[in-house]
Amino acid sequence: MDIKACLFDLDGVIVDTAKYHFIAWAALANELGFEFTEEHNERLKGVSRMTSLHILLEIGGVELSEEKKIEMADEKNTLYVSYIEKMTPDEILPGVVNFLKELRENGIKTAIGSASKNAPLILDRLELNQYFDAIIDGNKVSKAKPDPEVFLKGAEAVGIAPQYCVVFEDAAAGVEAAIKGGMKCVGIGLPANLSQAQLVVPGFENFALTSLDQL
Ligand code: BG6
Ligand code: MG
């Protein structure tokens, strides 16, 4: 396959932010009087902030007014941001920087395609901005994954047609978005959860441009 662009999900692909989301959602659940477990947290991966809140409220069997929901989502985000503000480049997942450097050296375009409205802050903290030609985040899309909007906008922003793009994703909804957008997809994680991806790897350690020859 002739690859001209690589599009990356952020949370769970470049960095493990799920632990911070978990702390913040669990604090909210605690305040509302129920327990939120790590297993519950799995359901929120790749899901937008408001949809995550709806899932959390469903788990706790709690009903809130629209106004209160917005207040709760803001509260969760304030706590989450207090953690990600302290992140450092040490938290970039193994092998990511080497792969991004290899893409730069080979003239392959790169973009972020993330549901997170905090993506710019995370990329700043990780000092990764220099490696991306475009950043499409939760502030720039109206349709959540599995809709392909975020990746189609990423491909458009770097000027490459979808059939020459590869998406890297850790969430099933993100893999589905990539395939719907007419792109190839490398799943990051376990094959059982990401069966639609053409290739699934545990992470970027020992991953190189030649690994994409299998697509
Ligand atoms: C996704 C995460 O990348 O972004 C989700 O996987 C998260 O867990 C979503 O809810 C939205 O993030 P944020 O930072 O805008 O609340
Ligand atoms: Mg993700």
Side-chain angles (χ1 to χ4, degrees):
M1 187 206 167
D2 189 10
I3 289 149
K4 296 182 178 160
C6 287
L7 312 181
F8 296 84
D9 173 46
L10 177 63
D11 295 311
V13 169
I14 303 249
V15 67
D16 175 23
T17 43
K19 54 182 185 269
Y20 303 127
H21 281 296
F22 174 66
I23 296 170
W25 285 126
L28 207 73
N30 187 45
E31 199 179 305
L32 292 167
F34 64 93
E35 197 195 348
F36 182 74
T37 65
E38 298 228 25
E39 203 180 329
H40 289 142
N41 196 51
E42 285 300 307
R43 290 178 58 189
L44 308 188
K45 285 188 180 171
V47 175
S48 76
R49 193 181 307 164
M50 276 322 267
T51 308
S52 296
L53 177 68
H54 287 138
I55 296 172
L56 179 114
L57 295 176
E58 186 198 296
I59 290 167
V62 175
E63 280 184 35
L64 296 177
S65 66
E66 283 311 307
E67 199 186 345
K68 190 73 184 160
K69 278 184 200 167
I70 292 167
E71 203 181 289
M72 291 266 119
D74 284 349
E75 188 183 320
K76 179 267 169 179
N77 192 56
T78 303
L79 185 56
Y80 175 65
V81 167
S82 74
Y83 283 96
I84 59 172
E85 266 174 348
K86 297 188 200 91
M87 285 172 78
T88 67
D90 292 348
E91 291 182 58
I92 300 169
L93 290 170
V96 168
V97 173
N98 276 346
F99 184 58
L100 290 172
K101 280 185 181 157
E102 193 187 2
L103 295 179
R104 275 278 180 262
E105 283 157 17
N106 286 274
I108 308 237
K109 296 282 183 195
T110 52
I112 288 284
S114 168
S116 173
K117 293 186 173 170
N118 293 301
L121 170 62
I122 296 170
L123 291 167
D124 273 352
R125 296 301 309 149
L126 300 179
E127 298 172 15
L128 283 178
N129 281 304
Q130 55 182 311
Y131 294 107
F132 295 102
D133 299 307
I135 293 160
I136 310 297
D137 63 21
N139 302 295
K140 293 185 179 161
V141 292
S142 55
K143 289 175 244 150
K145 299 170 190 176
D147 190 282
E149 184 186 14
V150 69
F151 295 129
L152 290 174
K153 283 196 168 162
E156 196 188 345
V158 297
I160 303 291
Q163 68 262 38
Y164 301 113
C165 295
V166 180
V167 168
F168 295 85
E169 252 296 344
D170 71 313
V175 173
E176 198 182 327
I179 305 297
K180 277 189 181 155
M183 302 170 189
K184 290 281 190 296
C185 188
V186 176
I188 306 292
L190 299 173
N193 306 332
L194 307 166
S195 56
Q196 276 198 68
Q198 282 84 9
L199 172 70
V200 181
V201 294
F204 288 96
E205 254 174 328
N206 307 315
F207 194 87
L209 208 39
T210 52
S211 311
L212 297 178
D213 292 346
Q214 304 167 56
L215 293 178

